[in-house]
């Protein structure tokens, strides 16, 4: 088994990692990680692989991100095709200092007119800080009379700096009628609550 260390960034709004060759990423964490280069596993054997992070004294405060990956060494002969997959772990490190855990709501949307539920909401939230964190968020739904008829929690995800995550939330209620107001509240890593409001109308014409 051959080990590899690569920096990674988030490539889309679903948190999919994009792996980068060592030394070419913005975070440079890969060059700080030391791990066994290769080892052998017998059939059915498992092995614990330690790794070490050596942080330079002049390391920039904030988030640094890398992946420790493992792949099997191929034994293909000449003119033979060989396919080898990789698996591993993501390493999220934070260097203390002057860091920021701010964020902002980029978009809060859904269908403005529906005839029935469930109701799907899309929340696009951006980490505008310099380190990763988990944002806490919820959507509270009120009917035309101001009564709260539903409350939804946003799922938990680590948000990397300068990245947008698209939270998709469903309100499972099927029968809807009249005008509703959905109030979004997202708390960033510094405890600041960001809000946004969306109104929609439901008419079960069928």
């Amino acid at each position: 088994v051959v080990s590899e260390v690569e920096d990674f960034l988030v490539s889309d709004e679903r948190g999919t990692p994009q792996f980068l060759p060592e030394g070419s990423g913005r975070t440079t964490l890969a060059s700080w990680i030391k791990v066994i280069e290769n080892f052998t596993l017998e059939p059915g054997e498992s092995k614990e692989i330690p790794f070490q992070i050596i942080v330079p004294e002049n390391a920039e405060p904030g988030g640094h991100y890398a992946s420790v990956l493992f792949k099997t060494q191929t034994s293909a002969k000449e003119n033979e095709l060989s396919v080898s997959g990789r698996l591993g772990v993501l390493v999220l490190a934070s260097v203390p200092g002057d860091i920021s855990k701010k964020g902002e709501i980029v978009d809060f949307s859904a269908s403005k007119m529906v005839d029935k539920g469930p109701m799907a909401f899309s929340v696009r939230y951006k980490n505008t800080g310099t380190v990763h964190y988990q944002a806490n968020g919820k959507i509270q739904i009120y009917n035309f009379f101001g009564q709260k008829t539903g409350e939804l929690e946003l799922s938990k995800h680590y948000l990397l700096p300068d990245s947008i995550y698209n939270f998709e939330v469903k309100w499972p209620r099927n029968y809807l009628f009249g005008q509703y107001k959905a109030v979004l509240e997202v708390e960033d890593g510094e405890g600041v609550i960001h809000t946004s409001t969306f109104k929609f109308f439901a008419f079960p014409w069928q």
Side-chain angles (χ1 to χ4, degrees), residues 78-97:
E78 188 177 355
N79 299 325
E80 288 184 348
L81 177 64
S82 176
V83 178
S84 177
R86 298 193 302 177
L87 58 86
V89 295
L90 304 179
V91 182
L92 285 67
S94 175
V95 176

Side-chain angles (χ1 to χ4, degrees), residues 105 108 123 138-140 154 182-186 194-197:
I105 298 171
F108 177 40
V123 177
K138 62 182 178 180
I139 300 173
Q140 299 180 86
L154 300 187
V183 180
L184 169 66
E185 294 183 354
V186 183
H194 306 265
T195 63
S196 181
T197 301

Side-chain angles (χ1 to χ4, degrees), residues 75-121:
S75 58
K77 299 179 181 179
E78 188 177 355
N79 299 325
E80 288 184 348
L81 177 64
S82 176
V83 178
S84 177
R86 298 193 302 177
L87 58 86
V89 295
L90 304 179
V91 182
L92 285 67
S94 175
V95 176
D98 185 14
I99 61 175
S100 168
K101 294 185 178 181
K102 297 180 180 180
E104 64 180 15
I105 298 171
V106 177
D107 182 62
F108 177 40
S109 60
S111 297
K112 292 185 176 181
M113 177 74 71
V114 296
D115 58 354
K116 62 180 180 179
M119 187 74 181
F121 296 94

Side-chain angles (χ1 to χ4, degrees), residues 108 110 118-121 138-153 169-173 176 178-185 197-200:
F108 177 40
M119 187 74 181
F121 296 94
K138 62 182 178 180
I139 300 173
Q140 299 180 86
I141 303 172
Y142 300 87
N143 61 18
F144 179 76
F145 302 103
Q147 300 170 322
K148 187 166 74 171
T149 57
E151 181 170 313
L152 310 170
E153 295 285 338
V169 188
K170 282 190 177 182
W171 187 26
R173 184 170 174 177
L176 303 173
Q179 184 176 342
Y180 293 86
K181 179 176 69 173
V183 180
L184 169 66
E185 294 183 354
T197 301
F198 181 83
K199 293 183 178 181
F200 62 97

Side-chain angles (χ1 to χ4, degrees), residues 26-29 32 53 55-66 91-102 127-133 159-162:
R26 298 184 338 207
T27 65
T28 67
L29 178 59
W32 302 352
I53 302 177
V55 183
E57 293 184 1
N58 62 344
E60 181 180 356
H64 300 263
Y65 311 101
V91 182
L92 285 67
S94 175
V95 176
D98 185 14
I99 61 175
S100 168
K101 294 185 178 181
K102 297 180 180 180
N127 179 352
T128 60
T130 59
V131 71
H132 55 279
Y133 63 87
L159 309 175
L160 270 60
D162 199 32

